[in-house]
Amino acid sequence: MFKLNLKIALRNLWKNGGITSINVGGLAIALAAFILVMMYVTYETTFDKGNPNYDNIYIVGRTMPEFKTNYTPPPLGKAIKQNFPEVMAVGTLKKGGFEFAISSDANTAFASNYLMVDYEAAKMLQLLPNEELAKPANEEGILFFLAKESMMTLFPKKKDDKPELVTLGSKAAGQTAEVKGTISVNKHSNVTFDALSVRKELGKNENYGYNNYNTYIQVKSGTDIAALEQKINTLYKNELIKDGQDVSTDRYKQTTIFLDPLKNQHLKPMAGNNAAYKVLIALSVLAMLILLIACINFTNLSIAQATKRAKEVGVKKVLGVYRYQLTFQFLTEILMQCVVATILGLLIAELLMPKFNALFNVSLSIWSANNALLYQLPLILLAITFIAGIYPAMVLSGFKPSLVLKGNFQTSRNTYWLRNSLLIVQFSVAVIFITSLLIISTQLKYMRTQDVGFNANQVVYIKNIMMFSDPRVFEPVRQKIMRIPGIKSVTVATGIPDGSENGSNGYTVNGVEASIDFLDVDFDYFETLDIKLADGRFFNKAFKTDTANSAIINESAAAKYGLTDPIGKTIRGCSMDYKIVGVVKDFKAQGFETPVQPTLYSIKNPCGNAKTQLMLKIDQDQMSEAIATLKAQWPDINKMDGDNFRYYFLNDLYGKLFQKQEQLQSVFFAAALLTIFIATLGLFAFAKYMTNNRMKEIAVRKVLGASDVQILKLLNSSFFAMVIIANCISWPLAYVLTKKWLETFAYRIDIPVLPFLISAAVTILLTVLTVSIQAAKAVKANPVNALKYE
Amino acid sequence: MIALKDIEKYYASKGVKSYILRHVSTVINQGEFVSIMGPSGAGKSTLLNIIGMLEEPTYGEYKFMDEDVISLSERKRIELYRNHIGFVFQAYHLIDEMTVAENIEAPLLYKKVGGSERKSRVADMLDRFNMVGKKDLFPSQLSGGQQQLVGIARALAAQPSIILADEPTGNLQSAQALQIMELFKKLNKEDGITIIQVTHSEVNAAYGSRILHLLDGVIKEDVRL
Ligand SMILES: Nc1ncnc2c1ncn2[C@@H]1O[C@H](COP(=O)(O)OP(=O)(O)OP(=O)(O)O)[C@@H](O)[C@H]1O
Ligand SMILES: [Mg+2]
């Protein structure tokens, strides 16, 4: 019997070949999207999952009054280990902080993500070199490892595992070190690095003031984490007193310890934001919606075809077939189509994989071993078969033979509402995606075209670790650079406008104290970036006081202190009395999401970091020659860090701020395209079916004298109504969703009307077109042919 | 074989009951060839459907081979379909996606008849109805009369004890109709199969052994020929 059912199924699918392939094709495309997203979700949620103690590792962090941080002092870890037996291991880590060069005789590689760990951390977090990690013998022993790529660069011919000698930093400084070996870096981990050093102990002589380490603990299974957190908190406070730290401040009183599980570190760390997590959820929802739409196509078409199959059901029932057998038969038919769709979906996913990987900056592969897809895919297959098939199977198998066999049986009335609602759902989702896509694009266009208050074009940023905090040290460097033709200005600062955050501190003007940002600059900073002056003047070498105590503030700072005439006022902070010599217009150094912070710019700042970030304004026409000359002369210009000239264009760096939004735009573009495509496919097949069904009615109407246009109108009207309803449902939803998204920007557009109108136009046009193509056939057909049958 | 007692059937719409069948009582024995006649809308199809258990009466008792049909479970009813009842329809109702041979074979599959037995019975039927050359054609490739022959062959393949036929010749020319009637008569005489048919034609009814005249849901006449 199964064989016969199979035969019937195949003949049926064959006969309705067009509809079947549309159905299966749409589902395959949706499945491809779903597979990609699911692989990505699996990847993102399983960081460090390979660690055997995955569930028992926590990072120790501190909750401060304004923020949470994972930075802890090194003695804390040791105290935890000594006091709490439930803590099995404590690992301490420290990040290198700056990029440095590693050179062999042959080549130079750069370590931009240097990590220092103690032996226990290396063990706990599985930072294991290719050969067995030996415990460093003595206190001073440092085991230095390099990632494979760097090692290949430095020693291209290396075959053995023997240690090698390298120079660290500038060759002139001549600091050598021994590389113990290569280490494979697990990109699928929260702890990544390109160079790693392992010591017996880290931060040995540092006290509780050195909050620049990370502390990981591994607890025994079943430990009460909340209680342990409390105990560590108490311990921390006591230790601070013992250590002689100032415990009278509010800052101390409000600081508490938290434990954050390793499994949350990648997506939703306590110290940090959960944006990645939200993106992941949004993506999953998108993928599920697309799959749902494809399933709806299936359901819809299966029900639409019910009339054809009704007779088969009726006959089989009077021949003695149970209902469950029929249900099973129809489910099997749908399962067969779903299997084909899944295989096609896998192929499509494979084709799209490179694009997807590039967009999300991952390197996923379908064919990798121990792929979670292995068990996910059969589950999805069953799920979609069930979702898409259960309703039609129930409807079909439930037909009463006495009704069906009467002859003039019509299913359409029973399932009219369901089918129409399903179509409306499909179009609603499509409208939401189109509208959102258009609004996202409008905001992005706004961000790209809006005046950001400074000009990043033709500004070149040069990587450097040499400190140029003192303008007198920098002046000779500037002069050498300025001699190169095409260079218009040169400056150095503690930061560049690429979205990076500035330091903040309390400053007082006229007795008003406020916490504002500060940035340390050199002469020509504002000129290089083409920032507009609102009042007063820029820094100028002609004024001796500018290197001593002059300050420039931005308009936001002036507003924050309520200054109407800031020039000449004294602003006090960081044990300095600055005199305000200028006010600059606000510029969006941090991008569009956060508002421009009130900021103080000064040349001298005892509280600031070292000025290392060089920026050059170069004439566009002489750009390539100027850069070539710079490169050639760099060792001479920057004596201490001149071995390696590396530069970036500032507009590229600033453009990275838009990356996340551009990613979102791409995702919505794909989602909108997919839903429209799949929904239109469904509509196409559905319209085809409906028209075929109404052939006789159309013929009768034509014989009665209806014009072609009247018939086209008749066939279009119900679909037209559905699209209108779908638009009405989706507009408010799209409005709320995009409004929420826009609210994450400090600088944003008002929601425009056009996207709503466009998505309405697009969906209406597509519908009318799709339906009319089908309807035209019916209209053109000779009524005699349709009436001859029966 | 069939005992109907006080069968009533009505549809209630907007509180008004419209009766289709009223006080229908009759007994049909094994081996009878009964024709149900009457004007259009009299309730003939409804009565046949009730006999075939495709519809349930609103009231009344119905015993099929001494079993109370009203309280019959679906499982039991399907057993009866498989083993005792064969249906023949005015619109043939062959399964379009099955070939002639497959259509005839279908009920045997559901009855779980063994493979070789099935083959021989199908071959037998094809032979009997002169359809051997057409066994791999699909229903749409046959004439109406041929389709109805396949319909009857399908009903007979399961070796039923009763055949229920609703206007089996309604769509056929009289020559073909007579051929079908001859066949029914032969099946009734030679194989002892009980036949109940609905027909509008006096000529067709004359092939049977008994006529039930139905008018407005009431049996007006019960004529034995
Ligand atoms: N589902 C229903 N709801 C209401 N009335 C119904 C329904 N089904 C049938 N009827 C009515 O029952 C009556 C009898 O129908 P039936 O099909 O038994 O007639 P018939 O004698 O077979 O007629 P014909 O010779 O035209 O086939 C008809 O008047 C019909 O309108
Ligand atoms: Mg009838």
Side-chain angles (χ1 to χ4, degrees):
Chain A
M1 179 157 70
F2 183 76
K3 222 170 85 190
L4 188 63
N5 280 341
L6 198 72
K7 252 198 252 173
I8 297 185
L10 288 178
R11 283 178 193 155
N12 242 317
L13 296 178
W14 189 248
K15 212 165 76 182
N16 301 314
I19 292 180
T20 308
S21 39
I22 284 175
N23 236 353
V24 171
L27 190 60
I29 293 169
L31 266 172
F34 192 76
I35 288 170
L36 287 176
V37 168
M38 213 171 49
M39 287 177 67
Y40 181 63
V41 169
T42 309
Y43 179 81
E44 286 286 296
T45 49
T46 51
F47 269 66
D48 278 316
K49 191 112 188 214
N51 192 312
N53 300 307
Y54 181 66
D55 289 317
N56 291 324
I57 296 176
Y58 292 80
I59 191 165
V60 183
R62 293 177 307 141
T63 306
M64 315 275 285
E66 313 89 32
F67 56 89
K68 289 177 193 285
T69 171
N70 280 339
Y71 286 112
T72 42
L76 178 62
K78 284 165 198 125
I80 293 172
K81 181 95 189 263
Q82 274 159 21
N83 283 280
F84 307 119
E86 62 266 48
V87 178
M88 293 167 74
V90 173
T92 311
L93 294 80
K94 188 185 182 192
K95 293 191 183 104
F98 56 85
E99 187 177 279
F100 60 89
I102 304 170
S103 313
S104 67
D105 293 338
N107 255 322
T108 300
F110 295 93
S112 58
N113 193 7
Y114 172 48
L115 184 70
M116 293 162 259
V117 301
D118 62 7
Y119 178 70
E120 224 162 88
K123 278 274 185 218
M124 185 198 301
L125 299 168
Q126 309 249 300
L127 314 177
L128 301 175
N130 294 354
E131 66 266 36
E132 185 79 12
L133 176 64
K135 189 164 183 168
N138 50 38
E139 305 286 296
E140 281 73 42
I142 297 179
L143 303 177
F144 189 56
F145 298 97
L146 279 181
K148 186 151 184 154
E149 301 79 51
S150 309
M151 203 64 158
M152 288 305 290
T153 316
L154 292 176
F155 304 101
K157 295 194 199 95
K158 187 171 169 72
K159 293 264 158 43
D160 55 17
D161 302 329
K162 293 215 181 70
E164 297 279 356
L165 269 186
V166 293
T167 312
L168 299 183
S170 156
K171 276 183 184 159
Q175 192 191 344
T176 58
E178 187 193 63
V179 180
K180 192 91 175 95
T182 51
I183 180 163
S184 42
V185 182
N186 180 6
K187 291 232 168 59
H188 198 195
S189 164
N190 290 292
V191 184
T192 54
F193 50 85
D194 47 21
L196 176 80
S197 69
V198 183
R199 294 153 220 247
K200 196 167 171 197
E201 199 182 334
L202 201 60
K204 183 149 195 268
N205 297 316
E206 302 194 330
N207 66 13
Y208 277 87
Y210 286 80
N211 285 309
N212 48 357
Y213 289 79
N214 290 144
T215 308
Y216 281 90
I217 61 172
Q218 180 190 331
V219 299
K220 291 194 175 121
S221 304
T223 303
D224 180 349
I225 295 303
L228 182 62
E229 202 173 70
Q230 271 309 311
K231 286 196 278 184
I232 294 178
N233 193 34
T234 315
L235 174 78
Y236 175 62
K237 303 245 155 158
N238 292 336
E239 288 282 317
L240 282 183
I241 298 171
K242 261 200 256 166
D243 198 47
Q245 299 283 325
D246 178 11
V247 294
S248 62
T249 57
D250 280 351
R251 200 183 177 77
Y252 157 74
K253 284 181 194 134
Q254 287 170 17
T255 300
T256 54
I257 294 288
F258 65 80
L259 295 179
D260 198 13
L262 178 66
K263 59 171 161 253
N264 286 354
Q265 284 307 298
H266 180 63
L267 288 175
K268 37 180 184 179
M270 284 182 168
N273 66 51
N274 60 355
Y277 188 65
K278 284 190 195 149
V279 168
L280 211 60
I281 294 200
L283 260 182
S284 314
V285 171
L286 284 188
M288 276 190 235
L289 276 178
I290 292 173
L291 195 59
L292 184 73
I293 288 188
C295 284
I296 287 178
N297 269 355
F298 235 97
T299 309
N300 235 345
L301 282 169
S302 309
I303 300 174
Q305 297 193 35
T307 340
K308 274 195 187 164
R309 306 296 297 273
K311 194 174 88 182
E312 182 188 332
V313 172
V315 171
K316 282 192 170 176
K317 278 192 169 177
V318 299
L319 291 181
V321 176
Y322 289 112
R323 179 173 182 179
Y324 78 86
Q325 289 174 308
L326 289 168
T327 313
F328 183 76
Q329 180 199 334
F330 289 121
L331 275 179
T332 317
E333 277 179 31
I334 290 169
L335 177 71
M336 273 162 42
Q337 300 176 61
C338 289
V339 169
V340 176
T342 308
I343 294 167
L344 279 177
L346 271 175
L347 290 176
I348 299 171
E350 173 72 14
L351 286 177
L352 293 177
M353 193 59 94
K355 270 214 145 36
F356 184 86
N357 278 338
L359 181 61
F360 287 96
N361 198 14
V362 286
S363 50
L364 303 176
S365 157
I366 291 179
W367 312 114
S368 69
N370 70 25
N371 198 326
L373 272 181
L374 235 51
Y375 68 86
Q376 286 168 338
L377 219 49
L379 283 180
I380 298 171
L381 185 62
L382 287 182
I384 54 172
T385 305
F386 189 78
I387 295 170
I390 194 70
Y391 186 75
M394 294 311 284
V395 169
L396 280 167
S397 65
F399 287 144
K400 287 221 158 45
S402 64
L403 293 177
V404 177
L405 298 177
K406 254 184 189 168
N408 56 349
F409 176 70
Q410 285 285 328
T411 43
S412 39
R413 214 172 322 117
N414 313 329
T415 53
Y416 182 80
W417 282 107
L418 181 91
R419 278 184 291 124
N420 288 357
S421 325
L422 290 179
L423 268 183
I424 290 174
V425 169
Q426 284 187 319
F427 272 92
S428 303
V429 176
V431 169
I432 292 179
F433 284 165
I434 302 172
T435 316
S436 308
L437 170 69
L438 291 172
I439 291 177
I440 291 172
S441 306
T442 316
Q443 168 72 11
L444 267 172
K445 192 172 160 212
Y446 165 82
M447 285 160 59
R448 287 206 198 91
T449 53
Q450 180 70 356
D451 181 19
V452 292
F454 71 98
N455 187 358
N457 292 332
Q458 300 148 45
V459 177
V460 168
Y461 157 70
I462 298 175
K463 274 210 164 181
N464 162 56
I465 56 170
M466 178 65 200
M467 302 176 197
F468 293 117
S469 296
D470 188 342
R472 281 169 302 186
V473 176
F474 185 61
E475 192 52 32
V477 175
R478 183 202 314 271
Q479 275 168 18
K480 279 188 206 160
I481 296 175
M482 288 301 286
R483 252 177 250 140
I484 298 169
I487 310 269
K488 289 185 183 159
S489 64
V490 181
T491 191
V492 65
T494 49
I496 58 170
D498 64 345
S500 47
E501 284 183 23
N502 297 324
S504 67
N505 206 345
Y507 291 90
T508 318
V509 187
N510 291 346
V512 182
E513 197 194 335
S515 176
I516 64 168
D517 281 8
F518 62 81
L519 182 75
D520 310 344
V521 300
D522 204 284
F523 293 109
D524 289 342
Y525 175 82
F526 300 104
E527 289 86 339
T528 304
L529 291 173
D530 205 4
I531 291 160
K532 302 285 173 299
L533 191 65
D535 197 2
R537 60 173 178 83
F538 290 139
F539 293 124
N540 191 324
K541 282 171 215 153
F543 295 87
K544 286 273 175 302
T545 49
D546 277 5
T547 53
N549 68 347
S550 290
I552 291 176
I553 60 173
N554 63 4
E555 285 179 321
S556 291
K560 182 140 190 171
Y561 291 107
L563 300 174
T564 45
D565 182 21
I567 306 301
K569 294 266 168 21
T570 303
I571 181 162
R572 173 191 292 264
C574 197
S575 356
M576 290 269 299
D577 282 349
Y578 290 105
K579 207 170 119 215
I580 299 173
V581 299
V583 178
V584 291
K585 291 224 154 101
D586 284 347
F587 61 98
K588 298 186 181 72
Q590 263 105 28
F592 284 73
E593 287 171 48
T594 45
V596 172
Q597 297 298 310
T599 312
L600 177 137
Y601 307 90
S602 64
I603 293 180
K604 182 170 177 183
N605 179 10
C607 295
N609 291 328
K611 292 182 222 169
T612 55
Q613 323 267 31
L614 290 160
M615 282 183 289
L616 280 60
K617 178 92 171 180
I618 305 179
D619 183 44
Q620 186 63 50
D621 297 335
Q622 292 169 277
M623 184 65 81
S624 45
E625 300 87 29
I627 286 174
T629 318
L630 266 171
K631 189 175 165 66
Q633 298 185 3
W634 199 243
D636 177 50
I637 295 171
N638 188 0
K639 289 236 160 51
M640 300 307 282
D641 184 33
D643 293 350
N644 306 291
F645 178 74
R646 279 164 302 140
Y647 69 96
Y648 300 90
F649 290 105
L650 187 60
N651 50 6
D652 291 344
L653 297 178
Y654 192 72
K656 286 215 173 104
L657 286 178
F658 302 154
Q659 235 172 16
K660 212 171 66 190
Q661 317 305 342
E662 278 160 358
Q663 196 183 46
L664 192 73
Q665 191 187 25
S666 306
V667 167
F668 262 82
F669 184 69
L673 217 62
L674 270 179
T675 42
I676 295 171
F677 182 65
I678 296 173
T680 312
L681 277 188
L683 183 70
F684 181 82
F686 193 59
K688 180 176 172 143
Y689 193 81
M690 288 303 277
T691 353
N692 282 350
N693 254 12
R694 294 175 76 172
M695 277 297 199
K696 196 169 138 196
E697 177 198 336
I698 294 166
V700 172
R701 282 176 191 269
K702 275 179 86 170
V703 170
L704 294 177
S707 74
D708 289 1
V709 176
Q710 280 171 321
I711 286 172
L712 273 183
K713 254 198 209 153
L714 174 84
L715 290 171
N716 264 306
S717 59
S718 68
F719 291 105
F720 189 77
M722 281 189 270
V723 181
I724 299 288
I725 295 174
N727 271 288
C728 292
I729 294 174
S730 324
W731 282 356
L733 283 172
Y735 180 83
V736 171
L737 283 176
T738 48
K739 195 172 156 66
K740 270 225 130 60
W741 177 74
L742 280 175
E743 273 162 11
T744 62
F745 293 91
Y747 304 99
R748 56 179 182 252
I749 50 166
D750 295 326
I751 293 187
V753 185
L754 203 60
F756 295 91
L757 299 182
I758 292 179
S759 50
V762 167
T763 44
I764 290 173
L765 202 74
L766 273 176
T767 309
V768 171
L769 218 68
T770 312
V771 175
S772 297
I773 288 175
Q774 289 306 324
K777 279 188 214 151
V779 170
K780 264 189 256 145
N782 188 344
V784 178
N785 292 330
L787 292 174
K788 219 163 50 187
Y789 295 108
E790 298 185 35
Chain B
M1 174 166 217
I2 288 168
L4 300 172
K5 198 174 161 202
D6 268 343
I7 295 290
E8 303 240 317
K9 175 90 185 173
Y10 63 77
Y11 290 102
S13 75
K14 295 174 192 153
V16 182
K17 292 177 187 172
S18 58
Y19 278 91
I20 315 293
L21 293 175
R22 304 209 73 161
H23 303 298
V24 173
S25 300
T26 190
V27 172
I28 296 169
N29 293 315
Q30 179 89 44
E32 280 194 277
F33 185 166
V34 182
S35 302
I36 303 174
M37 296 191 72
S40 191
K44 305 182 296 291
S45 298
T46 309
L47 179 60
L48 195 74
N49 280 345
I50 288 175
I51 293 173
M53 296 164 233
L54 298 174
E55 277 180 63
E56 280 178 19
T58 323
Y59 294 114
E61 267 179 41
Y62 172 21
K63 287 211 166 90
F64 183 90
M65 295 173 76
D66 297 329
E67 264 191 282
D68 189 358
V69 169
I70 310 296
S71 58
L72 215 56
S73 69
E74 170 168 349
R75 179 164 284 275
K76 270 276 179 57
R77 202 181 68 232
I78 285 177
E79 285 306 314
L80 288 181
Y81 286 161
R82 285 182 181 176
N83 298 319
H84 294 289
I85 306 177
F87 287 90
V88 176
F89 305 95
Q90 176 178 359
Y92 328 129
H93 289 325
L94 302 178
I95 297 178
D96 298 331
E97 283 73 29
M98 291 186 189
T99 61
V100 167
E102 284 165 354
N103 262 296
I104 297 173
E105 191 185 10
L108 304 177
L109 286 165
Y110 306 133
K111 252 181 106 167
K112 307 226 162 59
V113 174
S116 53
E117 164 82 6
R118 232 164 42 219
K119 280 219 180 64
S120 75
R121 277 211 224 170
V122 172
D124 189 35
M125 283 297 153
L126 289 169
D127 203 29
R128 198 158 152 192
F129 290 91
N130 278 325
M131 290 284 210
V132 180
K134 304 209 157 40
K135 72 179 173 57
D136 290 324
L137 296 183
F138 286 93
S140 55
Q141 297 164 311
L142 299 180
S143 77
Q146 289 166 331
Q147 286 191 47
Q148 192 58 298
L149 284 179
V150 177
I152 294 169
R154 179 178 68 184
L156 287 178
Q159 297 175 342
S161 38
I162 180 167
I163 285 183
L164 303 176
D166 193 346
E167 300 187 42
T169 61
N171 286 5
L172 301 179
Q173 292 171 359
S174 49
Q176 287 171 316
L178 292 185
Q179 189 192 354
I180 302 279
M181 282 303 120
E182 285 292 345
L183 181 63
F184 273 5
K185 190 166 179 177
K186 200 167 139 222
L187 288 170
N188 180 249
K189 283 262 140 54
E190 291 174 10
D191 301 319
I193 297 175
T194 313
I195 293 175
I196 305 176
Q197 67 164 344
V198 170
T199 181
H200 282 285
S201 142
E202 296 284 349
V203 179
N204 287 355
Y207 280 86
S209 58
R210 182 179 169 194
I211 300 174
L212 289 174
H213 280 283
L214 215 56
L215 190 66
D216 293 334
V218 181
I219 298 182
K220 280 279 172 222
E221 253 187 303
D222 187 346
V223 186
R224 282 173 202 275
L225 302 173

